[in-house]
Amino acid sequence: MPPIFREKIMKTKKLLENNYTRPAEFLFIGFTDDLPLRITLFVVFFVVYTLTVAGNLGLIILVHIDSSLRNPMYYFLSNLSFLDFCYSTVITPKMLANFVASRRSISFQGWALQMFFFAYIADAECLLLAVMACDRYAAICLPLLYPTLMSPRVCLGLAVLACFSRSVTSLVHVSLTFRLPYCGSNVIDHFFCDIPPLLALSCSDTYINQMLLFTLCGFIQTGTFVVIFISYACILATVLRIKSSGSRSKTFSTCASHLVAVTLFYGTLLFMYLRPTARYYPALDKVVALFYTVVFPMFNPVIYSFRNKDMKHALTKLFKRQ
């Protein structure tokens, strides 16, 4: 772009910044304006949310009432289920309400709260998945040291670190995003309070926000994914040395399902947040975001737990008591 035009654009932006007023609310475009289709989507995602809540809370309750499941693996799984429950609850109820509402809006303060909790839980889940991979590595590759490496105190410390260490980065994202001036439209082409669509509405330079988003998300998501990949690579190398074909196939099956779930979750996150804002495609981005905010929390209990022999045995005992 020629320098003269760049100067004119910057002058216009500065003029707008000096005269902007903070919007009282934002309006969601959502998925469609067709009422019958919105009703259909409401029913579908209401069922998805119900299954998500039932599956994740059911897993948490089962782990806490069955003494055979009181070990590090299931302790971390119950924490993952709690995060998935919170993750879905932060996004889905408001999305369901907007499917049947005539005015799909959210207040400025409501947007800030939803963005904070969404970013906080997403980062915490990435860290917890990495902790779970390290736990499986220690259990399979270092069985003699496992009781020491994963003592109750260590497990508690790791869970607390994963769940609460990301609050600072979430506060940074929210505070910097909401200090931006919004002097144009308050209509968001999305279904929840995500950072990139809001940056696109600002009439000031968002370079710092974009670089911060790229750097922090890249460090957290890429770093934890590398830890998970290395852990499972070591696990698979150890499993290949197992002589029993039954034990080997069982471990391969478990590792494969976990890796598929992790790859899909991380793939969608990296696709969404490691791109410049100029390359956002609202229609595609909404579909991708739907998977990691609404769909994956429903499947995680099945992928990580209910396919497990110990979990099936615990469920059988619970039903027999009834």
Side-chain angles (χ1 to χ4, degrees), residues 190 271-272 275 279-291:
H190 216 298
F271 173 80
M272 285 296 296
R275 296 177 295 160
R279 295 186 180 179
Y280 288 128
Y281 309 101
L284 176 61
D285 291 348
K286 282 184 279 190
V287 174
V288 173
L290 194 64
F291 276 92

Side-chain angles (χ1 to χ4, degrees), residues 121-319:
I121 296 171
D123 287 347
E125 184 154 335
C126 289
L127 290 171
L128 188 59
L129 288 171
V131 168
M132 290 169 61
C134 292
D135 170 69
R136 290 298 83 206
Y137 164 77
I140 296 172
C141 302
L142 304 170
L144 297 179
L145 296 176
Y146 184 69
T148 303
L149 292 175
M150 288 297 171
S151 65
R153 176 178 290 185
V154 172
C155 291
L156 178 61
L158 289 172
V160 170
L161 180 67
C163 291
F164 294 104
S165 63
R166 305 327 307 167
S167 58
V168 175
T169 57
S170 301
L171 281 173
V172 170
H173 281 309
V174 172
S175 60
L176 289 181
T177 301
F178 281 85
R179 289 181 64 184
L180 294 172
Y182 300 97
C183 23
S185 172
N186 66 335
V187 178
I188 310 296
D189 194 1
H190 216 298
F191 66 92
F192 76 98
C193 307
D194 206 357
I195 299 173
L198 192 58
L199 295 182
L201 290 184
S202 177
C203 54
S204 68
D205 186 8
T206 60
Y207 176 78
I208 294 177
N209 298 74
Q210 291 182 54
M211 288 305 300
L212 186 67
L213 183 66
F214 183 87
T215 303
L216 291 179
C217 289
F219 175 75
I220 295 169
Q221 294 167 13
T222 306
T224 52
F225 182 76
V226 169
V227 170
I228 293 169
F229 182 82
I230 292 174
S231 297
Y232 278 109
C234 294
I235 290 170
L236 292 176
T238 301
V239 170
L240 287 174
R241 296 194 292 269
I242 297 176
K243 294 181 179 180
S244 172
S245 60
S247 299
R248 189 165 56 241
S249 62
K250 178 184 176 181
T251 309
F252 267 128
S253 175
T254 303
C255 289
S257 62
H258 289 190
L259 281 175
V260 167
V262 167
T263 301
L264 290 173
F265 178 71
Y266 275 88
T268 53
L269 287 179
L270 294 173
F271 173 80
M272 285 296 296
Y273 299 109
L274 297 188
R275 296 177 295 160
T277 53
R279 295 186 180 179
Y280 288 128
Y281 309 101
L284 176 61
D285 291 348
K286 282 184 279 190
V287 174
V288 173
L290 194 64
F291 276 92
Y292 66 78
T293 57
V294 179
V295 177
F296 291 162
M298 178 183 67
F299 285 116
N300 275 345
V302 178
I303 294 172
Y304 285 102
S305 302
F306 292 129
R307 294 177 70 252
N308 184 282
K309 183 179 178 180
D310 295 334
M311 187 64 70
K312 289 179 180 178
H313 181 64
L315 280 172
T316 302
K317 287 197 302 182
L318 180 64
F319 287 131

Side-chain angles (χ1 to χ4, degrees), residues 1-61:
M1 181 184 295
I4 187 171
F5 291 114
R6 189 179 294 111
E7 284 184 25
K8 288 183 178 180
I9 291 173
M10 292 306 296
K11 286 181 180 179
T12 303
K13 283 190 172 184
K14 286 181 179 179
L15 181 63
L16 288 171
E17 289 174 29
N18 292 332
N19 295 287
Y20 87 97
T21 56
R22 190 178 73 177
E25 63 178 7
F26 291 102
L27 303 176
F28 293 114
I29 291 180
F31 293 97
T32 180
D33 289 325
D34 183 65
L35 183 58
L37 181 56
R38 282 163 50 193
I39 297 298
T40 302
L41 291 173
F42 172 86
V43 173
V44 170
F45 289 113
F46 179 79
V47 172
V48 170
Y49 180 61
T50 302
L51 293 174
T52 301
V53 172
N56 286 290
L57 292 185
L59 189 148
I60 294 170
I61 293 170

